[in-house]
Amino acid sequence: MLYINIWRKGFAKVMSDKGLLSKIYKESLAAVLWYSPSGWSCSEMLQSIIKNVWIPMKPYYIQVYWEIWVGIRLMGFIICKIRSADKKNKALKGLSPAPAHGHH
Amino acid sequence: MNENLFHSFTTPTLMGLPAVALIILLPSMMYPSPSRLINNRLTSLQAWLVQLILKQLMMAHNTKGQSWSLMLTSLILFIGSTNLLGLLPHSFTPTSQLSLNLGMAIPLWAGTVVLGLRNKMKKFLAHLLPQGTPTPLIPMLVIIETISLFIQPLALAVRLTANITAGHLLMHLIGNATSMFITLSLPAAPTTFILLVLLTMLEFTVALIQAYVFTLLVSLYLHDNT
């Protein structure tokens, strides 16, 4: 809430003071975009993921496991087909009129 | 006390959001990463276990197949630890869900098939006909072998799901029977309790064996295609 209030104040100042990006606006924008109350910023998390995961695993993800990505795409295709068939089935059930008499 | 027998198989939610992602990530947090040259006892034990698994699985493979070492070792550790954690009371086992097991089986199986088609097409197609088949039976056998090829990922997933689900269900049933016998007929309760203890021991072994079987079969498919 503090960061949202800072942002609102900054925004109000910018709106009142045209043509100038005030210091409050810059800092509040940085606070909203990059810094969380826990102190561990999104940019630091992203850098940590890239340094510890992507860089060591890059040859695996790109060359070695290339065929597994094909399998993941195949699995995604199967999931899409199942979901669309389920949606069509539900739509058809909704459109079809309810039976006049109960089942015996 | 559970609401019904199948309550433990429903996907858990936390304030309306699916908690499955957290549960799937949990086993990875339990393995300490070796950060020093000489590690502590737990990390050394873990490293010894990983080396044992690696040797067992990857000795029969060539260089191409051994590039999948990381994937197969991670697979067996994930399935084994997930199955063992699921034996805790009132916990959720992700590997009891067919969706997760199919999500593991299909990409891995398809990866081995695509690898075989890309690198060793003749050897891959040769697997569709067993050696020494009589000529009149060739067309039928090729069809049967193709069907068995496409059933492999389904068999992998369903085997793991069925084993884990059946075991957990049996434990629930016998546990409920034991607690009922305590109130209804006290002499019968120790028998069912002993049965429950034996079944729990069996489930521990099944949890590890199923992880090994899943990974071994993927390794076998990889070996056929490399």
Side-chain angles (χ1 to χ4, degrees):
Chain A
M1 279 307 288
L2 176 66
Y3 296 116
I4 293 169
N5 284 330
I6 293 170
W7 187 84
R8 276 187 192 151
K9 281 181 194 166
F11 186 71
K13 190 165 167 61
V14 162
M15 292 304 284
S16 63
D17 197 1
K18 293 176 195 174
L20 273 178
L21 270 176
S22 64
K23 194 181 170 193
I24 296 171
Y25 177 67
K26 271 192 211 169
E27 280 179 7
S28 61
L29 195 64
V32 165
L33 287 177
W34 292 111
Y35 292 99
S36 65
S38 65
W40 185 247
S41 67
C42 294
S43 63
E44 280 174 16
M45 269 201 292
L46 205 62
Q47 282 170 31
S48 168
I49 287 170
I50 290 170
K51 187 181 145 196
N52 294 321
V53 178
W54 175 248
I55 289 173
M57 294 293 290
K58 192 176 163 187
Y60 285 97
Y61 291 154
I62 292 174
Q63 290 165 354
V64 178
Y65 299 151
W66 180 84
E67 289 88 9
I68 297 179
W69 291 119
V70 174
I72 290 172
R73 268 177 253 147
L74 171 70
M75 192 187 62
F77 175 73
I78 293 169
I79 289 168
C80 274
K81 282 287 171 190
I82 292 171
R83 274 193 177 164
S84 64
D86 189 36
K87 272 182 195 170
K88 273 184 198 169
N89 196 18
K90 281 181 182 167
L92 278 168
K93 271 187 186 168
L95 283 172
S96 62
H101 304 287
H103 293 284
H104 295 290
Chain B
M1 193 68 182
N2 286 341
E3 292 165 4
N4 63 35
L5 207 56
F6 298 100
H7 177 72
S8 59
F9 300 115
T10 51
T11 317
T13 52
L14 201 64
M15 294 187 286
L17 296 167
V20 190
L22 292 170
I23 297 169
I24 289 171
L25 287 171
L26 179 68
S28 64
M29 289 191 255
M30 295 184 150
Y31 291 102
S33 24
S35 53
R36 296 166 190 272
L37 188 62
I38 299 169
N39 294 295
N40 58 19
R41 280 194 193 96
L42 184 64
T43 316
S44 303
L45 185 67
Q46 179 192 285
W48 170 82
L49 187 69
V50 168
Q51 200 185 12
L52 179 74
I53 292 166
L54 205 57
K55 250 204 273 183
Q56 283 292 313
L57 281 174
M58 307 313 294
M59 241 176 13
H61 286 270
N62 56 14
T63 320
K64 188 82 187 156
Q66 282 175 357
S67 61
W68 279 48
S69 308
L70 191 61
M71 174 62 75
L72 294 178
T73 319
S74 310
L75 187 70
I76 192 169
L77 288 174
F78 170 69
I79 298 175
S81 52
T82 309
N83 289 347
L84 286 172
L85 281 170
L87 289 171
L88 293 168
H90 301 287
S91 64
F92 172 71
T93 319
T95 43
S96 66
Q97 306 296 310
L98 187 63
S99 51
L100 179 85
N101 296 333
L102 276 172
M104 286 192 296
I106 291 177
L108 290 169
W109 166 83
T112 58
V113 164
V114 171
L115 196 68
L117 281 170
R118 256 181 103 197
N119 298 331
K120 294 197 175 172
M121 173 79 97
K122 272 188 206 169
K123 192 181 164 193
F124 176 81
L125 292 172
H127 276 298
L128 294 179
L129 187 68
Q131 240 175 354
T133 312
T135 318
L137 288 175
I138 288 175
M140 197 176 74
L141 262 175
V142 169
I143 293 168
I144 289 170
E145 287 290 327
T146 312
I147 293 168
S148 79
L149 177 73
F150 284 104
I151 278 179
Q152 280 171 359
L154 289 173
L156 266 179
V158 170
R159 183 185 300 112
L160 184 57
T161 310
N163 270 290
I164 301 299
T165 311
H168 285 147
L169 213 55
L170 260 175
M171 281 167 70
H172 274 280
L173 279 168
I174 293 174
N176 285 344
T178 309
S179 57
M180 264 171 48
F181 276 137
I182 287 169
T183 52
L184 289 174
S185 157
L186 199 58
T191 318
T192 45
F193 183 72
I194 289 165
L195 197 63
L196 184 64
V197 167
L198 291 172
L199 188 66
T200 309
M201 281 160 53
L202 178 70
E203 280 306 306
F204 270 94
T205 48
V206 162
L208 295 169
I209 286 168
Q210 285 306 313
Y212 179 65
V213 162
F214 193 103
T215 315
L216 189 69
L217 284 168
V218 172
S219 161
L220 206 69
Y221 302 151
L222 180 69
H223 183 69
D224 286 341
N225 290 305
T226 48

